[in-house]
Amino acid sequence: MNLSGKTEVYGIVGYPVKHSLSPVFQNALFEHFSLDAVYVPFEVKPDSFKEAFLGLKALGVKGVNITVPFKERAFELCDLSDEPSKVIRAVNTVKFTDRIEGYNTDWIGFLRALRELEKELEGKKVLVLGAGGTAKAVVYALSQEECYTYIFNRTYERAIELARNFSAQVVKKPEDVLDDVDIIINTTSVGLSDDDPPLFDYQMLKNHHIVFDVIYRSTPLVKTALKKGAKAQNGLSMLIYQGMESFRIWTGLEAPVSVAKDSLSDYVLS
């Protein structure tokens, strides 16, 4: 990689963000297309987000991904947003031009990743764990596929608010619907550490379940599901697919998934 005064800068904004794998595969995509561009992490403390975000545009940064905890705050700062972002009220992709353009590619990345486990989604009963920015994108995606969605969140009021916007149903505990649902999706941060208390008794999982965890490591939820004979997957594919859509928005180029996945082959997500 040869950097110069003409090198275009892209990145990811979050807190924390140093663990992100997005720079690995985004830089691999820039290299694949021989683009004079670089993708870097921008770790921003929450009380400095607005100043940092607007400062990126002022500095001439071309585009950024937005990750936790800033997706909803970034939406409020965009001059215009795509239709999914307006419904979800969160953006994870920003393009800086004369204006600040906001997009949500999380829902696209999620659907492409979930279809690696299950092609036919229409009419499936789905339990979504969590009610944050990622959960909003997931529930939006499920609504596009006409799934029947249940939502569980430890803060019950947030679950009610999300369910109201998407005609979903709130449950007070996951165990109430485990026997009825086909798909279970974790959108929370529970599982980043093996010491995290489980969201429910994972031993209740059955082999007919399809389990998807947005965390891109093999979480206790995913490990238990696989031991029970269920289909299960972490969030690495979702990360790649949403990032490929971001890359298309920034550059107009369709990124090959093989290049992105190959760039991450040396990273063991245990």
Side-chain angles (χ1 to χ4, degrees):
M1 181 181 298
N2 297 314
L3 304 182
S4 72
K6 296 181 180 179
T7 301
E8 295 185 344
V9 178
Y10 298 82
I12 181 168
V13 180
Y15 188 81
V17 79
K18 293 175 183 177
H19 67 284
S20 175
L21 295 180
S22 291
V24 178
F25 72 84
Q26 291 288 5
N27 283 315
L29 294 177
F30 287 140
E31 185 175 355
H32 174 77
F33 286 104
S34 299
L35 299 179
D36 187 5
V38 65
Y39 185 105
V40 296
F42 296 106
E43 186 162 284
V44 177
K45 292 183 178 179
D47 58 1
S48 301
F49 173 72
K50 182 177 180 179
E51 294 83 354
F53 182 78
L54 297 177
L56 292 171
K57 180 179 185 298
L59 286 168
V61 171
K62 296 299 183 180
V64 290
N65 285 124
I66 305 291
T67 188
V68 291
F70 301 130
K71 295 180 182 182
E72 287 133 318
R73 291 174 65 183
F75 170 78
E76 299 296 335
L77 295 173
C78 290
D79 297 316
L80 68 161
S81 303
D82 66 350
E83 286 305 313
S85 296
K86 292 176 183 177
V87 177
I88 300 165
R89 301 197 66 79
V91 301
N92 73 303
T93 302
V94 172
K95 183 177 182 179
F96 295 114
T97 58
D98 293 338
R99 299 176 293 183
I100 301 175
E101 302 174 14
Y103 303 86
N104 193 297
T105 68
D106 276 336
W107 74 278
I108 298 172
F110 164 71
L111 275 184
R112 289 189 66 179
L114 184 60
R115 287 197 180 106
E116 292 182 347
L117 296 175
E118 177 59 51
K119 299 293 186 185
E120 297 297 327
L121 297 174
E122 183 177 349
K124 290 288 193 297
K125 294 182 178 179
V126 186
L127 170 62
V128 175
L129 306 169
T134 302
K136 291 177 181 178
V138 165
V139 174
Y140 173 83
L142 295 171
S143 71
Q144 301 303 296
E145 296 296 313
E146 299 184 0
C147 295
Y148 191 88
T149 304
Y150 301 94
I151 300 170
F152 166 77
N153 193 60
R154 286 174 172 171
T155 304
Y156 190 68
E157 291 74 19
R158 290 197 72 183
I160 291 176
E161 181 182 357
L162 177 55
R164 185 184 300 121
N165 292 334
F166 291 99
S167 300
Q169 184 173 333
V170 176
V171 295
K172 291 189 174 181
K173 56 181 187 294
E175 290 86 348
D176 290 343
V177 294
L178 277 180
D179 288 341
D180 295 328
V181 298
D182 306 295
I183 303 171
I184 301 163
I185 302 161
N186 177 38
T187 71
T188 76
S189 62
V190 174
L192 277 172
S193 169
D194 286 338
D195 297 328
D196 288 342
L199 291 159
F200 61 92
D201 181 2
Y202 298 161
Q203 295 303 317
M204 294 181 66
L205 293 168
K206 302 292 193 300
N207 61 6
H208 73 270
H209 283 135
I210 296 167
V211 175
F212 187 92
D213 199 319
V214 301
I215 296 172
Y216 49 86
R217 66 183 294 266
S218 188
T219 62
L221 174 62
V222 169
K223 290 177 182 176
T224 304
L226 291 173
K227 287 179 182 177
K228 293 285 185 176
K231 295 180 182 178
Q233 183 171 289
N234 65 33
L236 184 60
S237 289
M238 177 180 173
L239 174 76
I240 290 172
Y241 289 132
Q242 64 80 27
M244 289 169 54
E245 182 64 12
S246 299
F247 185 86
R248 185 193 65 78
I249 289 168
W250 295 326
T251 67
L253 298 170
E254 297 288 345
V257 65
S258 59
V259 173
K261 288 190 173 183
D262 288 349
S263 71
L264 298 174
S265 61
D266 291 337
Y267 292 81
V268 179
L269 304 175
S270 60

Short mmCIF file of all heavy atoms in Angstrom, two decimals, residues 111-112 114-122 124 145 210 231:
data_model
loop_
_atom_site.label_atom_id
_atom_site.label_comp_id
_atom_site.label_asym_id
_atom_site.label_seq_id
_atom_site.Cartn_x
_atom_site.Cartn_y
_atom_site.Cartn_z
N LEU A 111 -29.50 -10.34 5.87
CA LEU A 111 -30.29 -11.25 5.05
C LEU A 111 -29.40 -12.18 4.22
O LEU A 111 -29.66 -13.38 4.13
CB LEU A 111 -31.23 -10.48 4.12
CG LEU A 111 -32.58 -10.05 4.68
CD1 LEU A 111 -33.41 -9.39 3.59
CD2 LEU A 111 -33.34 -11.23 5.28
N ARG A 112 -28.36 -11.64 3.63
CA ARG A 112 -27.46 -12.47 2.82
C ARG A 112 -26.79 -13.54 3.69
O ARG A 112 -26.63 -14.69 3.26
CB ARG A 112 -26.42 -11.61 2.13
CG ARG A 112 -26.97 -10.75 1.01
CD ARG A 112 -25.87 -10.06 0.21
NE ARG A 112 -25.05 -11.04 -0.53
CZ ARG A 112 -24.05 -10.70 -1.32
NH1 ARG A 112 -23.73 -9.41 -1.48
NH2 ARG A 112 -23.34 -11.62 -1.97
N LEU A 114 -27.96 -14.74 6.64
CA LEU A 114 -28.96 -15.70 7.13
C LEU A 114 -29.33 -16.70 6.06
O LEU A 114 -29.59 -17.89 6.35
CB LEU A 114 -30.21 -14.96 7.62
CG LEU A 114 -31.30 -15.82 8.26
CD1 LEU A 114 -30.77 -16.56 9.48
CD2 LEU A 114 -32.51 -14.97 8.64
N ARG A 115 -29.35 -16.26 4.80
CA ARG A 115 -29.70 -17.18 3.71
C ARG A 115 -28.63 -18.24 3.49
O ARG A 115 -28.87 -19.21 2.78
CB ARG A 115 -29.96 -16.38 2.43
CG ARG A 115 -31.27 -15.62 2.45
CD ARG A 115 -31.68 -15.19 1.05
NE ARG A 115 -32.94 -14.45 1.08
CZ ARG A 115 -33.05 -13.14 0.91
NH1 ARG A 115 -31.96 -12.42 0.70
NH2 ARG A 115 -34.22 -12.55 0.94
N GLU A 116 -27.46 -18.07 4.06
CA GLU A 116 -26.47 -19.15 4.02
C GLU A 116 -26.94 -20.33 4.88
O GLU A 116 -26.52 -21.46 4.67
CB GLU A 116 -25.11 -18.65 4.52
CG GLU A 116 -24.45 -17.65 3.59
CD GLU A 116 -23.09 -17.18 4.05
OE1 GLU A 116 -22.75 -17.45 5.23
OE2 GLU A 116 -22.35 -16.57 3.26
N LEU A 117 -27.81 -20.04 5.86
CA LEU A 117 -28.35 -21.09 6.72
C LEU A 117 -29.73 -21.56 6.27
O LEU A 117 -30.08 -22.73 6.43
CB LEU A 117 -28.45 -20.58 8.17
CG LEU A 117 -27.14 -20.24 8.88
CD1 LEU A 117 -27.45 -19.64 10.25
CD2 LEU A 117 -26.26 -21.48 9.04
N GLU A 118 -30.53 -20.64 5.75
CA GLU A 118 -31.91 -20.94 5.38
C GLU A 118 -32.32 -20.08 4.19
O GLU A 118 -32.37 -18.86 4.29
CB GLU A 118 -32.84 -20.69 6.57
CG GLU A 118 -34.32 -20.90 6.28
CD GLU A 118 -34.63 -22.32 5.82
OE1 GLU A 118 -34.22 -23.28 6.50
OE2 GLU A 118 -35.29 -22.45 4.77
N LYS A 119 -32.63 -20.72 3.08
CA LYS A 119 -33.00 -19.99 1.87
C LYS A 119 -34.40 -19.41 1.94
O LYS A 119 -34.65 -18.28 1.54
CB LYS A 119 -32.90 -20.91 0.64
CG LYS A 119 -31.51 -21.48 0.38
CD LYS A 119 -30.52 -20.42 -0.02
CE LYS A 119 -29.19 -21.04 -0.40
NZ LYS A 119 -28.15 -20.01 -0.68
N GLU A 120 -35.35 -20.20 2.45
CA GLU A 120 -36.75 -19.79 2.47
C GLU A 120 -37.08 -19.20 3.84
O GLU A 120 -37.11 -19.90 4.85
CB GLU A 120 -37.66 -20.99 2.18
CG GLU A 120 -37.46 -21.59 0.80
CD GLU A 120 -37.79 -20.60 -0.31
OE1 GLU A 120 -38.70 -19.76 -0.11
OE2 GLU A 120 -37.15 -20.66 -1.37
N LEU A 121 -37.35 -17.90 3.88
CA LEU A 121 -37.60 -17.21 5.14
C LEU A 121 -39.06 -16.81 5.33
O LEU A 121 -39.50 -16.60 6.46
CB LEU A 121 -36.72 -15.96 5.23
CG LEU A 121 -35.20 -16.22 5.23
CD1 LEU A 121 -34.45 -14.90 5.18
CD2 LEU A 121 -34.79 -17.03 6.46
N GLU A 122 -39.81 -16.71 4.25
CA GLU A 122 -41.20 -16.25 4.35
C GLU A 122 -42.01 -17.16 5.29
O GLU A 122 -42.00 -18.39 5.16
CB GLU A 122 -41.86 -16.21 2.98
CG GLU A 122 -43.28 -15.66 3.01
CD GLU A 122 -43.89 -15.56 1.62
OE1 GLU A 122 -43.15 -15.72 0.63
OE2 GLU A 122 -45.11 -15.33 1.54
N LYS A 124 -41.51 -17.80 8.40
CA LYS A 124 -40.76 -18.39 9.52
C LYS A 124 -41.03 -17.59 10.80
O LYS A 124 -41.20 -16.37 10.78
CB LYS A 124 -39.26 -18.39 9.22
CG LYS A 124 -38.85 -19.38 8.13
CD LYS A 124 -38.93 -20.82 8.63
CE LYS A 124 -38.24 -21.81 7.71
NZ LYS A 124 -38.83 -21.90 6.37
N GLU A 145 -39.24 -9.95 4.60
CA GLU A 145 -39.41 -11.36 4.22
C GLU A 145 -40.70 -11.95 4.77
O GLU A 145 -40.94 -13.15 4.65
CB GLU A 145 -38.21 -12.17 4.74
CG GLU A 145 -36.88 -11.78 4.13
CD GLU A 145 -36.84 -12.03 2.63
OE1 GLU A 145 -37.25 -13.13 2.20
OE2 GLU A 145 -36.40 -11.13 1.89
N ILE A 210 -32.54 -22.77 13.94
CA ILE A 210 -31.51 -22.07 13.18
C ILE A 210 -31.06 -20.90 14.05
O ILE A 210 -31.89 -20.07 14.44
CB ILE A 210 -32.04 -21.58 11.83
CG1 ILE A 210 -32.44 -22.77 10.96
CG2 ILE A 210 -31.01 -20.72 11.12
CD1 ILE A 210 -33.26 -22.38 9.75
N LYS A 231 -28.47 -25.77 13.04
CA LYS A 231 -27.68 -24.92 12.15
C LYS A 231 -27.35 -23.64 12.91
O LYS A 231 -28.24 -23.04 13.54
CB LYS A 231 -28.47 -24.57 10.89
CG LYS A 231 -28.79 -25.74 9.98
CD LYS A 231 -29.57 -25.22 8.78
CE LYS A 231 -29.98 -26.34 7.84
NZ LYS A 231 -30.79 -25.82 6.70
#
